[in-house]
């Protein structure tokens, strides 16, 4: 047994699958020793598999390819937001620009091993061909998307401006999948949409929490201050920058908690609180959410509802509020790893549960019944 354990350790260290720095990070020496012993024992089977493949597989295969495959598989069993990246994939991930990229204009999640559309941005290739929330992407060209991570799918969807791609799509109300041909374009999301409603009610839709959206919202509310109340529409908002969600919440709260992050073992990692400067007047505030409201949108909705600042209308939100850390590895590869989960001021967990509205309203129809319900409440 000792010889096999030593062989496992030598193979894994030679292949670069583990390193003392990765295993020991954040542990005391005693705890680290115990953890390493357990890890080596558990990794014996993996080491045996890799050694057998290396020695007996019919085709030559590089150790690096085996290691990356093992790493991808290990991270892939954690959750849909964690991922392993080879050096080339990792460089591409880090090179993406904030809020602007060449693609088709969709936000995705994983459902039953397939990418499912959470939101479609307005005036994008996806919107123009009629893709909508709930559609599942089955293939890009001849490449099946089953079992791929969200990041891997996004890499297939992105590409040079003006290039074409063919999507095979499934929709719940259709028996057979069908295909679309789209032309990639620059995706620029205008984050705010504003209009004035009757009787001093203002309406603002935040489409995504892109950079500067909080300052843009503050400027808009200064230009058109709500006299009767404000409808803040976060439907089909897939999230965005965490700091912008905090800043938007802070606009409507003078003090107290906004959101907390809990890590391994429920340990409190950080807590964000509101500050008094530049707080909006205490007019009535209605927040609209639905199944496409995710991440940063859920943080804002949960904070304003829990603190008694807003009433929520619509449908339960998506339920994605976790913290991913991007970690460099020694050979240029990298990890995106879920390291914490957000909870609302009341201690409610968002991840996997979503935020429930105070008043559930079906969002289909004309005029929009959710906006109608929110207006009715604001005018009471």
């Amino acid at each position: 047994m000792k010889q096999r354990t030593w062989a496992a350790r030598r193979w894994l260290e030679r292949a670069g699958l583990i390193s003392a720095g990765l295993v020991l990070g954040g542990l005391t020496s005693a705890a680290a020793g115990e953890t390493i012993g357990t890890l080596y024992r558990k990794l014996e089977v993996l080491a045996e598999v890799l050694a057998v493949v290396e020695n007996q597989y019919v085709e030559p295969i590089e150790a690096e390819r085996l290691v990356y495959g093992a790493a991808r598989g290990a991270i892939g069993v954690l959750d849909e937001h964690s991922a392993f990246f080879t050096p080339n994939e990792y460089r591409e991930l880090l090179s993406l620009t904030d809020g602007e990229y060449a693609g088709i204009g969709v936000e995705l999640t994983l459902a039953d091993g397939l990418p499912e559309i959470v939101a479609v941005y307005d005036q994008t290739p996806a919107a123009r061909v009629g893709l909508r929330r709930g559609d599942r992407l089955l293939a890009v060209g001849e490449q099946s998307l089953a079992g791929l991570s969200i990041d891997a799918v996004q890499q297939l969807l992105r590409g040079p401006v003006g290039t074409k791609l063919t999507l095979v799509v499934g929709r719940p109300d259709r028996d057979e999948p069908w295909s679309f041909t789209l032309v990639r374009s620059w995706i620029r999301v205008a984050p705010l949409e504003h209009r004035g409603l009757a009787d001093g009610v203002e309406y603002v839709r935040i489409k995504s929490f892109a950079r500067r959206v909080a300052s843009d919202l503050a400027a808009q509310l200064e230009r058109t201050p709500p006299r009767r109340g404000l409808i803040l529409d976060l439907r089909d908002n897939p999230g965005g920058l965490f700091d912008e969600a905090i800043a938007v919440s802070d606009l409507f709260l003078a003090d107290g908690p906004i959101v907390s992050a809990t890590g391994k073992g429920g340990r409190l990692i950080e807590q964000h609180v509101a500050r008094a400067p530049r707080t909006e007047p205490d007019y009535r505030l209605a927040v609209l959410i639905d199944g496409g409201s995710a991440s940063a949108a859920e943080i804002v909705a949960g904070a304003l509802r829990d603190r008694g600042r807003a009433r929520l209308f619509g449908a339960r939100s998506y339920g994605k509020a976790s913290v991913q850390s991007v970690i460099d590895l020694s050979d240029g590869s990298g990890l995106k790893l879920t390291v914490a989960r957000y909870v609302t001021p009341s201690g409610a967990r968002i991840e996997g549960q979503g935020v429930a509205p105070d008043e559930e309203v079906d969002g289909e129809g004309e005029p929009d019944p959710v906006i109608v319900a929110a207006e009715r409440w604001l005018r009471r």
Side-chain angles (χ1 to χ4, degrees), residues 8-9 12 17-18 36 38-49:
R9 174 172 181 159
L12 293 166
L17 183 60
I18 60 174
I36 290 173
T38 302
L39 178 64
Y40 287 147
R41 287 192 295 273
K42 297 294 185 183
L43 287 175
E44 282 183 27
V45 174
L46 175 59
E48 291 171 8
V49 169

Side-chain angles (χ1 to χ4, degrees), residues 133 232-236 287-294 297-298 300-302 305 312-318 354-359 361 370:
R133 177 158 54 90
L232 187 64
D233 193 345
L234 302 181
R235 292 175 297 175
D236 287 325
V287 176
L288 314 186
I289 58 173
D290 66 4
S293 307
E298 295 177 286
V300 173
R305 192 271 307 279
L312 307 188
F313 295 82
R316 183 179 291 272
S317 65
Y318 178 74
V355 177
D358 298 297
E359 188 172 328
V361 186
V370 186

